[in-house]
Amino acid sequence: MSAVRVAMLGCGTVGAEVVRLLREQADELAARVGAPVELVGVAVRRPHKHPELGELLTTDSSTLVTRDDVDVVVEVIGGIEPARSLLLEALKAGKSVVTANKALLAEDAATLAEAADASGADLYYEAAVAGAIPLLRPLRESLVGDRISRVAGIVNGTTNFILSAMTATGAGYADALEEATRLGYAEADPSADVDGYDAASKAAILASLAFHTRVTSADVYCEGIRNVTAADIAAAREMGCVIKLLAICERIPGADTESVSARVYPAMIPATHPLAAVDGAFNAVFVEAEAAGQLMFYGQGAGGAPTASAVLGDLVAVARNRVLGGRGSRESAYASLPILPIGAVPTRYHVSLDVADRAGVLASIAGEFARHGVSIAAVRQTGDGSTDGSARLVVVTHAAPGEALAATVDRLAGLDAVRGVESVLRVEDLGRKGVTA
Amino acid sequence: MSAVRVAMLGCGTVGAEVVRLLREQADELAARVGAPVELVGVAVRRPHKHPELGELLTTDSSTLVTRDDVDVVVEVIGGIEPARSLLLEALKAGKSVVTANKALLAEDAATLAEAADASGADLYYEAAVAGAIPLLRPLRESLVGDRISRVAGIVNGTTNFILSAMTATGAGYADALEEATRLGYAEADPSADVDGYDAASKAAILASLAFHTRVTSADVYCEGIRNVTAADIAAAREMGCVIKLLAICERIPGADTESVSARVYPAMIPATHPLAAVDGAFNAVFVEAEAAGQLMFYGQGAGGAPTASAVLGDLVAVARNRVLGGRGSRESAYASLPILPIGAVPTRYHVSLDVADRAGVLASIAGEFARHGVSIAAVRQTGDGSTDGSARLVVVTHAAPGEALAATVDRLAGLDAVRGVESVLRVEDLGRKGVTA
């Protein structure tokens, strides 16, 4: 049977592993696809860096992706342009596309999906979220007969490494970041990771698949971990919790219509939750569906070989579709649910206050919560050991709209009795009861 | 577009949930499939038990599965016959099949797969292993470009509930089984679960998919949990371990050719391993692949709704293939690796001995291990608090062939210095270093 011919855009860490696996596993891949899988071209900017690829190299990406002898285009260059234009050219020419480009998919999956539909080509992107963990295919295919209510995960290994180190050693953020950088888990400019943008791209992709609704990175509320302190970590521990940077995608019931929320922020989760045990650079995604119940997927979220494994899985799928006929799942955006702004999303707060230790203080603080319609789940007051009449007051709320919580905290800061707002942490139970004071 | 018409064999706990989901999610399923999914018949033995199904009911399974107006057959009756004959008839007639029947697949997947190939029909069975957890599709499709070295999991909720209870409360096996039965986690005749047969069926299915080799339940070495004692659980805890009933499928390198091992037994695993934290009736499967590294899939392994979720995911897949053309993954048995008998599989033992506390004892015992070519990883000797000159000696071995380990233990029992063999436990590191004495 004639070979399935593959062109690759980019040849960095992931691309080099894809090339290696294509060569080392050639016989097995051919057996699985039903035809040989042949690499026919690799477009790179600096060909002299890849002498081992010889004749396969080109700097002319645009010609490569539309060449007659190319069936499938694998894209591992990342970023919005020129990746988007090249993939659109490829899809329009009927080439199937396998991409690991989370930023592009989170910004503009719709345009790519439309081009794929127009030409009948496949568009696969398992490697874009959570590296080697098979996650998108289960969401798109295994759970397609179910109704997903929540996807919540640790989808950024850099920030999980930093938060794990802070939890294990009591280190502050700056020290933990320095350690992560030294060990190669954080880049020289860590912003995309620590400010949550990488996780937000993944949240957009996950929410789109889970809820059959187009969600882009601009729709995702995003807070990073720069402001998480050692005191926050300690406060979480006191509550039997740990702090994780979560990407949360939820179906939110409403009076008339359901909505979708997609958000990224550091949050306290119960230490007994399966996600709490996910340490270091590992990723894990927790899924709740109506019939399936609670599921978790765990594995390596980044790195050349793990990401290449996901690319190869997709490549075998699109190659099989070429050989056997048929086509993979298309974009499914039929539900078109509205996306709720963060101010309207019900979440919980853990607020730690430095207050004056005198009569009436608790009443005035509790009154402020009540005025904003925020119900208190638990309160704990402790002397802080000082001799100046201070006490520490911890308030954990029930779920309330984000804007009511934010407004409450703003007002608390202005109260006479409140000497300082020590920390405000979000709380996510993720289906476990257990976060009370 | 014309509907995809579904016939169902059986309507027990899982079947009833499938019917419910088909009805409640009809609009969403139609959107996902691209055509309505219509239930056109349900074969049951006692129609009067299902009045709500009215006209759909029949007792004539054989006629139902070959009816011209049936596209897909969903089988949830279980057991070998009549399920096998009915599914073969259906596949021969070109109907796609979705089944949750682990016993049948473990005994004779080959015959079903050949019938599916002959007529070009789909054969899907995600629900047969680990209930709602999307596991077979990731193995068949996501990891198809990778090389799986090990699949090890907790795939039976009943035994995991019992072992979790023994670990949490120090209860003995009989008490924990009684509790499981009282709560509905164990059946009146618990043999299929506690003797490991259910897990062995799943191991056969997992090994077949992971290693592209036909493995049947007869190929799987199987020990259950009836002989696990409270003392074993305590011994595991002393080593920083827990005992889990594992289904283990491994690729075993050899001088000339690789082999496959598939086995089920209770084993000590490090308490730090992700599988160790899987408690109660939950299932989890740990996968190691060359490029992807370590992955874990976690969720509910049984129950009507979770299993129905998996059935529905398959049903949507085969219905989409009907509507869009194309076909799912076929059986892949091209590797045909030999299956290693348990005596030749390298594993580790944890042996706890009651020995005479006198000079030369350790030398004679260590000599017995050496004579069988079994290397000792760690030894710990403690007085047992008695005044009769006894001591307790724990030996943990390195990996050695099962028959050498068994022969060593046989000989130890006959040594003068050994007053009794208190327990023999298997040890599985599953890629974590950490089980030493």
Side-chain angles (χ1 to χ4, degrees):
Chain A
M1 188 164 277
S2 67
V4 177
R5 295 152 305 181
V6 177
M8 197 161 75
L9 301 177
C11 196
T13 316
V14 175
E17 284 294 315
V18 171
V19 171
R20 182 181 69 79
L21 289 171
L22 277 175
R23 289 178 170 173
E24 288 181 6
Q25 312 262 24
D27 291 347
E28 298 215 17
L29 291 171
R32 295 174 195 193
V33 169
V37 179
E38 188 190 340
L39 188 64
V40 297
V42 180
V44 296
R45 274 182 300 179
R46 288 182 289 269
H48 64 275
K49 289 197 149 187
H50 308 274
E52 74 288 0
L53 293 175
E55 299 279 294
L56 292 177
L57 291 171
T58 176
T59 53
D60 184 355
S61 309
S62 184
T63 300
L64 177 64
V65 298
T66 53
R67 250 167 59 180
D68 282 346
D69 68 340
V70 166
D71 301 305
V72 180
V73 173
V74 172
E75 184 262 311
V76 288
I77 46 180
I80 307 298
E81 286 296 346
R84 172 164 49 193
S85 302
L86 291 168
L87 295 186
L88 284 174
E89 282 179 63
L91 290 166
K92 280 175 189 158
K95 318 301 187 192
S96 293
V97 163
V98 174
T99 172
N101 193 329
K102 56 190 166 270
L104 174 55
L105 286 157
E107 176 155 316
D108 200 9
T111 305
L112 294 174
E114 280 157 17
D117 279 346
S119 70
D122 273 334
L123 171 64
Y124 276 62
Y125 46 92
E126 181 70 63
V129 182
I133 308 174
L135 177 63
L136 304 194
R137 186 175 278 109
L139 286 180
R140 297 218 292 194
E141 299 178 20
S142 306
L143 290 169
V144 74
D146 205 336
R147 190 177 162 79
I148 296 171
S149 54
R150 174 158 47 201
V151 179
I154 296 165
V155 295
N156 180 276
T158 304
T159 48
N160 201 52
F161 181 92
I162 292 170
L163 292 173
S164 297
M166 291 173 72
T167 302
T169 67
Y173 168 76
D175 288 343
L177 171 61
E178 193 179 304
E179 174 80 352
T181 309
R182 195 176 62 76
L183 295 172
Y185 290 112
E187 298 188 35
D189 174 0
S191 172
D193 294 315
V194 301
D195 292 324
Y197 306 132
D198 173 82
S201 291
K202 293 162 177 170
I205 296 169
L206 291 171
S208 301
L209 290 174
F211 306 128
H212 307 278
T213 291
R214 280 183 187 152
V215 179
T216 70
S217 40
D219 298 319
V220 181
Y221 175 79
C222 178
E223 277 175 35
I225 66 164
R226 283 187 201 266
N227 297 326
V228 177
T229 64
D232 291 337
I233 303 274
R237 181 176 290 127
E238 272 178 35
M239 311 286 296
C241 290
V242 297
I243 296 179
K244 294 291 187 186
L245 182 71
L246 298 180
I248 303 170
C249 312
E250 276 178 336
R251 193 190 285 274
I252 309 228
D256 301 319
T257 179
E258 289 184 328
S259 308
V260 163
S261 160
R263 54 196 200 268
V264 169
Y265 47 59
M268 286 171 49
I269 63 173
T272 55
H273 194 279
L275 284 178
V278 176
D279 281 334
F282 272 84
N283 280 196
V285 177
F286 186 75
V287 177
E288 281 184 84
E290 188 195 280
Q294 302 185 333
L295 303 168
M296 193 173 83
F297 303 80
Y298 165 95
Q300 295 188 64
T307 309
S309 169
V311 168
L312 262 280
D314 279 356
L315 183 52
V316 168
V318 303
R320 281 176 53 86
N321 288 344
R322 291 266 154 182
V323 171
L324 299 175
R327 220 194 130 196
S329 292
R330 301 179 191 200
E331 188 202 21
S332 161
Y334 65 85
S336 294
L337 300 177
I339 295 154
L340 219 54
I342 187 72
V345 174
T347 72
R348 300 178 62 191
Y349 268 22
H350 170 284
V351 183
S352 187
L353 302 169
D354 179 8
V355 299
D357 191 3
R358 61 168 191 253
V361 168
L362 183 57
S364 73
I365 289 170
E368 212 52 69
F369 280 93
R371 231 182 316 285
H372 290 87
V374 177
S375 170
I376 292 175
V379 175
R380 189 168 49 179
Q381 181 167 346
T382 45
D384 66 355
S386 65
T387 52
D388 64 348
S390 276
R392 185 159 165 264
L393 186 71
V394 171
V395 178
V396 181
T397 75
H398 283 301
E403 59 196 7
L405 292 165
T408 308
V409 171
D410 273 356
R411 293 273 307 175
L412 289 176
L415 289 184
D416 259 8
V418 174
R419 298 183 178 175
V421 177
E422 290 180 343
S423 81
V424 178
L425 285 168
R426 293 175 191 274
V427 176
E428 294 285 341
D429 294 322
L430 301 174
R432 300 260 159 148
K433 299 294 156 255
V435 185
T436 51
Chain B
M1 189 164 277
S2 65
V4 176
R5 293 152 307 182
V6 177
M8 195 160 76
L9 301 176
C11 195
T13 316
V14 175
E17 284 293 316
V18 171
V19 171
R20 183 180 69 79
L21 289 170
L22 278 175
R23 289 180 170 172
E24 288 181 7
Q25 313 262 22
D27 292 347
E28 298 214 19
L29 290 171
R32 294 173 196 192
V33 169
V37 180
E38 188 189 340
L39 188 64
V40 298
V42 179
V44 296
R45 276 183 299 179
R46 289 183 289 269
H48 64 276
K49 290 198 151 187
H50 308 274
E52 75 289 359
L53 293 175
E55 299 279 293
L56 292 176
L57 291 171
T58 175
T59 54
D60 184 355
S61 309
S62 184
T63 300
L64 177 64
V65 299
T66 53
R67 250 168 57 181
D68 283 346
D69 68 340
V70 167
D71 301 304
V72 179
V73 173
V74 172
E75 185 261 310
V76 288
I77 46 180
I80 307 299
E81 285 296 348
R84 173 164 50 191
S85 302
L86 291 168
L87 294 186
L88 285 173
E89 283 179 63
L91 290 166
K92 281 175 189 157
K95 319 299 188 193
S96 292
V97 163
V98 174
T99 172
N101 193 328
K102 55 190 168 271
L104 174 56
L105 287 157
E107 177 155 314
D108 199 9
T111 305
L112 293 176
E114 280 157 16
D117 280 347
S119 69
D122 273 333
L123 172 63
Y124 276 62
Y125 47 92
E126 181 69 64
V129 182
I133 309 174
L135 178 63
L136 304 194
R137 186 174 277 110
L139 285 180
R140 297 218 292 195
E141 300 178 18
S142 305
L143 291 168
V144 73
D146 204 336
R147 190 177 160 77
I148 295 171
S149 54
R150 174 158 46 201
V151 179
I154 296 164
V155 294
N156 180 274
T158 303
T159 48
N160 201 53
F161 181 91
I162 293 170
L163 292 173
S164 297
M166 292 173 72
T167 302
T169 67
Y173 168 76
D175 289 343
L177 171 60
E178 194 179 305
E179 172 82 352
T181 310
R182 196 175 60 76
L183 294 172
Y185 289 112
E187 298 187 34
D189 175 0
S191 173
D193 293 315
V194 302
D195 292 325
Y197 305 132
D198 172 82
S201 291
K202 293 163 178 171
I205 296 169
L206 290 172
S208 300
L209 290 174
F211 307 128
H212 307 278
T213 291
R214 280 185 188 151
V215 180
T216 70
S217 40
D219 298 320
V220 180
Y221 174 79
C222 178
E223 276 175 36
I225 65 164
R226 284 187 200 266
N227 298 325
V228 177
T229 64
D232 291 339
I233 303 274
R237 182 176 291 126
E238 271 178 34
M239 310 288 295
C241 289
V242 297
I243 296 179
K244 295 291 186 187
L245 182 71
L246 298 180
I248 303 171
C249 312
E250 277 179 335
R251 193 190 285 275
I252 310 228
D256 301 320
T257 178
E258 289 184 328
S259 307
V260 163
S261 161
R263 53 196 200 271
V264 169
Y265 47 57
M268 286 171 50
I269 62 172
T272 55
H273 194 281
L275 283 179
V278 177
D279 283 333
F282 272 84
N283 280 197
V285 176
F286 186 74
V287 177
E288 281 184 84
E290 189 195 279
Q294 302 184 334
L295 301 169
M296 193 173 83
F297 303 79
Y298 167 95
Q300 294 187 64
T307 309
S309 168
V311 168
L312 262 280
D314 280 357
L315 184 51
V316 168
V318 303
R320 282 175 54 85
N321 288 342
R322 291 265 154 181
V323 171
L324 299 175
R327 219 191 131 200
S329 292
R330 300 178 192 203
E331 187 201 21
S332 161
Y334 64 85
S336 294
L337 300 177
I339 294 154
L340 220 54
I342 188 72
V345 173
T347 71
R348 300 178 63 191
Y349 268 23
H350 169 283
V351 183
S352 186
L353 303 168
D354 179 9
V355 299
D357 191 4
R358 60 168 191 255
V361 169
L362 183 57
S364 73
I365 289 171
E368 213 52 68
F369 280 92
R371 231 182 315 285
H372 289 88
V374 176
S375 172
I376 292 175
V379 175
R380 189 169 49 178
Q381 182 167 344
T382 45
D384 66 354
S386 65
T387 53
D388 64 347
S390 276
R392 183 158 168 265
L393 187 70
V394 172
V395 178
V396 181
T397 76
H398 283 300
E403 60 195 7
L405 292 165
T408 308
V409 172
D410 273 356
R411 293 275 307 176
L412 289 176
L415 290 185
D416 259 7
V418 174
R419 299 184 175 174
V421 177
E422 292 180 343
S423 80
V424 178
L425 286 167
R426 294 175 190 273
V427 176
E428 293 286 341
D429 294 323
L430 301 175
R432 300 262 158 146
K433 298 295 157 253
V435 184
T436 52

